[in-house]
Amino acid sequence: MPAVAEPDVPGIPLVAIDFETANEQRASACAIGVSRVEGGRVVWTREVLIRPPELRFTPFTIAVHGIRPEQVAHAPEFPEVWAALEPDMRGAVLLAHNASFDMGVLHAMLGTYGLPVSGHDFLCTLLTARRLWPTLERHKLNSLAYHFGIELNHHKAGSDARACAEIALRAMDHTGTTDAAALAQAAGLGLGRLGSGPGGNMVAACRVLPGRPEPRRPPTHDLPSIVAKPELFGAGIAFTGALATLSRGEAEALAHAAGLVPQGSVTLATDFLVGGRTTDSTKLRNARRRAAIDGRPRLLDEREYRDLLGLDAMAAPAA
């Protein structure tokens, strides 16, 4: 991904936040992830387990995030966790993917313990992504992470928060903006507001601004015409990490045209794994374990992937 310019208001950082809950109640946070952005990059990410006000977990929530009551029985309660995190978040614009959920959880937890909040503007990266990339089939966190080559351990609060922050950075790069307010404007959105009202803490949601033109879309790139290769037909290929010269969507489209079958994870049917800008990931670890047993999948870097498809040979001028 091209470098994102340093924010022109360096005193207003961005902080992505993600909650996991124990049950159907918003005031049941059992984990929080926080990821701070400064200077166009993620500078730190933290994840903390929380003992919820009621130690009641549902089978559904356990299946989603894997956190069990015994893991948080002796964890700190929210006031202690918030007191440790809030100073680093003070004055920041918050980011959340599906902010109506995460801001709702934060509002509910603050209210349950009678805690005030220093005002925060916030931006929903789910709404932002829907506005900026309307042609994508899905805009869920895991779908966007896969599309952009962002490593994600889904429903682990710290990993989710970092992925949210990375999506915001890609959205700023896409729109040529350098701060959350300008990004919201480019997407035709108004920032939400978490603050104190006459009745205590309140949440004013992000909203689509009326009468705003469609956001600027990225230039389209004509992909080279790939000739299907019989030796590759039906072979499975997966990708991990961001590539330097191709988006994830372009890399998959080219693979499909060559006769390969793009896959979202490393399975027994995976013959190739292309590694981008990453030195470690679940896919890489799984691939290395499998390759040590039966030699598959074959691990490729980006140059080797381009060679496999003959991309650079097609682009080379005739002698």
Side-chain angles (χ1 to χ4, degrees):
M1 184 188 79
V4 179
E6 184 169 348
D8 54 7
V9 189
I12 304 180
L14 302 175
V15 175
I17 189 169
D18 181 85
F19 283 102
E20 302 298 330
T21 56
N23 54 59
E24 72 283 355
Q25 300 296 320
R26 288 289 190 264
S28 67
C30 59
I32 182 175
V34 178
S35 194
R36 184 177 173 111
V37 174
E38 292 179 3
R41 65 186 182 90
V42 175
V43 293
W44 54 253
T45 299
R46 296 171 188 164
E47 179 177 314
V48 184
L49 292 178
I50 304 168
R51 179 187 170 97
E54 179 186 8
L55 204 60
R56 177 175 65 86
F57 284 67
T58 67
F60 174 78
T61 56
I62 292 174
V64 169
H65 51 58
I67 302 171
R68 296 180 175 274
E70 58 269 23
Q71 293 176 260
V72 298
H74 302 291
E77 294 193 38
F78 183 75
E80 181 181 346
V81 173
W82 187 246
L85 292 176
E86 198 272 339
D88 286 325
M89 300 169 61
R90 198 168 295 154
V93 175
L94 302 183
L95 304 168
H97 206 76
N98 190 12
S100 62
F101 173 79
D102 294 291
M103 293 302 111
V105 172
L106 179 54
H107 174 263
M109 295 298 289
L110 291 166
T112 296
Y113 290 99
L115 300 174
V117 61
S118 53
H120 289 280
D121 290 329
F122 67 85
L123 180 62
C124 178
T125 52
L126 174 61
L127 290 179
T128 301
R130 285 173 176 167
R131 296 281 293 173
L132 296 183
W133 298 292
T135 59
L136 291 181
E137 185 177 354
R138 297 179 181 87
H139 297 86
K140 292 182 178 181
L141 187 68
N142 57 338
S143 299
L144 290 174
Y146 178 73
H147 176 77
F148 289 116
I150 298 168
E151 297 302 330
L152 174 66
N153 189 355
H154 199 20
H155 294 302
K156 301 301 180 186
S159 184
D160 282 3
R162 185 181 180 98
C164 173
E166 294 284 359
I167 289 166
L169 288 172
R170 281 156 175 77
M172 283 191 277
D173 182 54
H174 173 74
T175 55
T177 56
T178 56
D179 62 79
L183 173 59
Q185 286 285 322
L189 296 171
L191 291 175
R193 180 70 178 173
L194 175 70
S196 298
N201 297 322
M202 47 76 69
V203 178
C206 295
R207 68 197 186 284
V208 177
L209 299 177
R212 294 303 303 270
E214 284 297 310
R216 182 172 68 87
R217 298 187 180 185
T220 57
H221 301 286
D222 293 328
L223 295 178
S225 297
I226 296 292
V227 177
K229 299 186 175 184
E231 68 271 23
L232 297 179
F233 186 76
I237 188 167
F239 298 84
T240 185
L243 301 180
T245 62
L246 297 166
S247 71
R248 179 65 61 82
E250 290 171 335
E252 290 185 344
L254 290 169
H256 181 76
L260 293 156
V261 179
Q263 300 174 321
S265 60
V266 173
T267 72
L268 292 175
T270 305
D271 297 285
F272 301 94
L273 177 66
V274 180
R277 298 171 184 168
T278 183
T279 57
D280 186 45
S281 70
T282 300
K283 290 179 186 176
L284 270 175
R285 290 192 293 272
N286 289 342
R288 285 167 178 157
R289 280 195 292 267
R290 277 202 50 221
I293 297 171
D294 61 8
R296 298 174 50 255
R298 178 182 165 193
L299 305 182
L300 306 175
D301 61 23
E302 186 169 356
R303 180 190 58 78
E304 291 170 329
Y305 174 62
R306 296 180 67 91
D307 289 344
L308 180 72
L309 301 188
L311 288 177
D312 296 325
M314 288 190 303

